Amino acid sequence: MWQIFTFDEVDSTNAVAKRFALEGRGECAVAAARQTAGRGRLLRNWESPRGEGLWFSLLLRPENMPAAQAGGAVFVSALAMAEALAPFGEALVKWPNDLVMGGKKLCGMLAEAGFANGLCGWIVLGIGVNLLQTSFPDVLPHATSLLLQTGKRLAPEELLPRFLTCFEPWYARWQREGLSPILEGIRPLSATLGRRVRIEGREGKALDFREDGALLWRVEGKTEAVLAGDVSVRGLYGYV
């Protein structure tokens, strides 16, 4: 059973969860009705209006996990969130850390971790899901919400327990078996594989995931692996 800490307003649920990690707390979830300084990847702002989405972070303490494997938490959460949303609409996984509906961004994830002696001491996994917004600022032309895509209203307090129920078995399996079964679950839900992609100014085709979660793609006549970075997928987020 997950212990859930709920706040009306915080600067960032990741910041609260990181503080909990450094204080020695065990695994838990931190949720807030509103974030004033939510963050996405590459220090980008994440819009977190009050009551219109699920804004939360997980504090994870995987046992005896090598530091190099900590990034797998993002894939575990992506698969679990796609499953949690499935009764309401099909969410696809855009490598490495977004969920999309209708070609637009519905959910983003950000993982941070602390290490000691080559092992992962803790992982803080921040997740934001747009649920009830009916519009977005002009600076977010590629964002969407569950309501806009499906016409269905799902309250944040309903989605969080759904997500945790889906997350728990995949999280346990990841710790036992590694990332392979997680990636196997993501492949049929991928918005990236088999598509034309642009990475750091070069264009190619996304082929598959490597066993460590890296993206394999065919570019300039050869197959390369990408461990992290911005990947634009043709037809998503304005890449046409």
Side-chain angles (χ1 to χ4, degrees):
M1 180 66 69
W2 287 83
Q3 185 175 18
I4 302 174
F5 296 90
T6 303
F7 297 87
D8 178 65
E9 182 175 296
V10 298
D11 54 353
S12 160
T13 59
N14 258 32
V16 175
K18 284 171 65 178
R19 186 173 74 246
F20 284 179
L22 298 177
E23 291 172 355
R25 291 182 187 251
E27 294 188 329
C28 61
V30 177
R34 178 175 181 261
Q35 296 182 113
T36 59
R39 289 192 299 116
R41 292 182 64 248
L42 305 178
L43 301 180
R44 294 169 178 148
N45 291 332
W46 180 272
E47 292 291 324
S48 311
R50 182 180 303 279
E52 295 192 354
L54 176 58
W55 327 123
F56 74 107
S57 297
L58 297 181
L59 169 56
L60 307 177
R61 293 193 181 275
E63 296 184 7
N64 300 313
M65 177 165 289
Q69 297 180 19
V74 170
F75 296 97
V76 180
S77 62
L79 179 55
M81 187 59 77
E83 286 189 349
L85 291 168
F88 306 93
E90 184 181 52
L92 300 179
V93 181
K94 176 185 174 289
W95 187 94
N97 65 334
D98 291 349
L99 292 184
V100 300
M101 269 190 186
K104 294 189 174 185
K105 185 170 180 175
L106 178 77
C107 171
M109 305 172 189
L110 175 68
E112 303 176 72
F115 309 110
N117 301 317
L119 296 177
C120 180
W122 53 265
I123 300 172
V124 166
L125 184 60
I127 302 174
V129 190
N130 298 325
L131 294 176
L132 300 172
Q133 293 96 326
T134 56
S135 64
F136 287 88
D138 291 342
V139 295
L140 298 174
H142 308 306
T144 193
S145 71
L146 184 67
L147 180 60
L148 285 172
Q149 289 296 317
T150 69
K152 298 176 181 177
R153 303 183 69 87
L154 177 61
E157 59 270 21
E158 182 182 351
L159 178 57
L160 181 54
R162 284 179 176 272
F163 167 79
L164 292 173
T165 297
C166 295
F167 180 81
E168 185 65 36
W170 287 117
Y171 177 47
R173 193 169 180 186
W174 175 47
Q175 293 182 81
R176 290 195 313 268
E177 304 175 36
L179 200 53
S180 292
I182 313 303
L183 297 176
E184 191 64 26
I186 287 177
R187 284 187 178 94
L189 299 172
S190 177
T192 306
L193 298 183
R195 305 282 292 275
R196 296 290 298 179
V197 296
R198 179 187 294 156
I199 305 173
E200 296 181 354
R202 298 192 297 164
E203 294 193 22
K205 183 178 181 180
L207 301 176
D208 200 359
F209 304 123
R210 200 169 64 182
E211 62 181 11
D212 61 353
L215 179 66
L216 298 175
W217 70 314
R218 188 73 176 172
V219 58
E220 298 171 356
K222 58 184 178 180
T223 300
E224 297 182 4
V226 182
L227 285 169
D230 271 358
V231 176
S232 298
V233 180
R234 177 163 288 179
L236 296 179
Y237 304 0
Y239 170 36
V240 296

